[in-house]
Amino acid sequence: MKLRVLYMFVLAGCLCACQKEDPVVPNGMSNPFATLPGATDEETKLREDFYKATGCHLLFNDTLRHEYKGLDGNGNPFYETELLGLEYSLTNVGFTRFKFDYLQTLEQKRAVVNFLQYDLLPYIKTVMPYSMMVANGIDEYQQNIFMSTVNYQQNKLEGYYEYVGSPLTYNNLRCLALNVNRLWELADEELKGYAQDICCEMIFASFGGTSDKRYTDGKAGSFFEQSSYYYGAPKVGIDWVTWQPIYYNPLELGFLEDDPLDSYFPSPKDDAVNYIKACLSMTEEEFFAKYGENDVNGYTRKKYDIIKPLLDETGIKFN
C-alpha cells in the first residue's frame, strides 16, 4: 500500500512538472548575416536584392554586428561585436589569419553585384554558399610556431604570422570570402574565364570537409584520400637504405599539373580545382587524351571516376 501511494505522488509530480514547463520560444535574436531591419540605404538595397535573387547573404565586410549595450563599470560605452571569423571551424581555431581590403565605394559594390549576378550566377546556382563576403583584397597569414612565444600567464601561444598569399576564395561553414581585386583589370571577354575560376573554387567549397583532415571528411573524401599522403610534401624524398634522393613525378601520382618552380606537391584545394576545371571543360576522351599518358599507376583514373559524378550532380558545364 505504501509503495502504491508513493508511486502516485511521484506520477503526480511528473505530470505537474510537464504541465508547468514553459514552451520553447525563439529568443528574438536577428540573423547577423541579414540586413538591418528598417535600413533603406543603397548598400542595404543591393544586399537585399541579391539575397532575393540568389538566396545567399551578401557581405561587404567581416563585422556581422556591432551593437551598443550600454555603459561598463567605468562609464565607458560597451559594445557587443561579432566577426565572421574565417579561421574558425566547428572543431578548432586554425593557425591562419586574414587581412581584408574592403570595397570603398558604392560604385565598386554595384559593379561587383552586377558581375556576380550576370557573369557568375549562371554557373553557380546549385552550389551557392549560405553567405558570401566580397573584398577588394584578402591576404592570408599562417602562424610560424617556431617563431612564436608562449604566454605562460594566459597559457597560450602568441603567434608570429607570415604572409602566405592572397587566395581567390576562402571558406568555412558559414561563409565564402571572395577576393575580387582582379575584376577591375579584366576586359569584358575575360570575365567568363574569371567567373569559371571562381565557380571551380565554389564547387570545391561545396564538397565540405576540414583542412586539418585534408578534406577527407567531406563529400569528396575518397577523392582526397588518393593523394592525402603527398599534399604539401616535398617532391624530393630520401631512400633510407641507399641515402640517395628520390624524385617524385606528380603527374604519375594523380596530379594534373607539375610546376617546375615549385618544390612541393599541390595543396588539396589546388588539386581539386584542377580536376574540377578540367572535367567541366573537357569530355572524358579529351581529358584522358591530355592526362592519360602519365597515368602509369592509375591514380588519375581513380580520382576522375570519383569526382566526375559529383560534378555531374551540380549540373554545371563550361562547354
Side-chain angles (χ1 to χ4, degrees), residues 46-47 59 62 83 85 152 182 274:
L46 274 177
R47 295 177 57 202
L59 308 172
D62 67 329
L83 299 179
Y152 291 100
R182 285 172 47 196
N274 287 337

Side-chain angles (χ1 to χ4, degrees), residues 62-240:
D62 67 329
T63 301
L64 296 178
R65 60 190 178 98
H66 183 64
E67 299 175 0
Y68 175 73
K69 293 297 183 180
L71 301 177
D72 62 17
N74 297 319
N76 299 315
F78 173 70
Y79 294 88
E80 191 172 89
T81 303
E82 181 179 358
L83 299 179
L84 188 59
L86 285 179
E87 64 272 21
Y88 288 87
S89 70
L90 280 177
T91 55
N92 68 348
V93 179
F95 294 103
T96 302
R97 297 294 182 269
F98 297 93
K99 181 179 179 181
F100 302 108
D101 178 15
Y102 299 132
L103 298 170
Q104 298 298 317
T105 67
L106 189 59
E107 288 72 21
Q108 285 182 322
K109 294 170 185 177
R110 286 198 193 104
V112 166
V113 170
N114 186 71
F115 166 75
L116 294 178
Q117 287 194 266
Y118 295 104
D119 294 285
L120 183 60
L121 185 59
Y123 291 117
I124 63 171
K125 287 182 179 179
T126 59
V127 292
M128 287 294 291
Y130 176 76
S131 69
M132 185 187 308
M133 190 199 81
V134 182
N136 201 36
I138 302 175
D139 291 339
E140 181 179 354
Y141 296 81
Q142 287 187 355
Q143 187 174 24
N144 186 331
I145 59 174
F146 300 105
M147 298 289 290
S148 301
T149 57
V150 178
N151 185 328
Y152 291 100
Q153 291 182 334
Q154 299 184 24
N155 192 30
K156 69 177 183 180
L157 191 67
E158 294 185 339
Y160 174 84
Y161 289 88
E162 296 178 328
Y163 171 77
V164 295
S166 299
L168 176 61
T169 68
Y170 193 92
N171 67 284
N172 65 8
L173 289 175
R174 303 203 299 176
C175 184
L176 181 137
L178 172 60
N179 183 351
V180 296
N181 64 347
R182 285 172 47 196
L183 180 61
W184 322 115
E185 308 167 356
L186 300 177
D188 289 345
E189 61 271 17
E190 297 174 304
L191 293 176
K192 180 179 179 180
Y194 183 48
Q196 290 180 352
D197 289 343
I198 297 172
C199 176
C200 291
E201 299 210 8
M202 294 182 77
I203 293 173
F204 162 77
S206 74
F207 291 157
T210 52
S211 59
D212 56 329
K213 294 185 178 180
R214 300 185 176 184
Y215 304 98
T216 57
D217 54 337
K219 186 177 181 181
S222 55
F223 171 89
F224 295 105
E225 286 172 357
Q226 305 300 316
S227 302
S228 62
Y229 177 81
Y230 297 103
Y231 288 137
K235 293 179 185 176
V236 180
I238 294 291
D239 186 322
W240 298 108

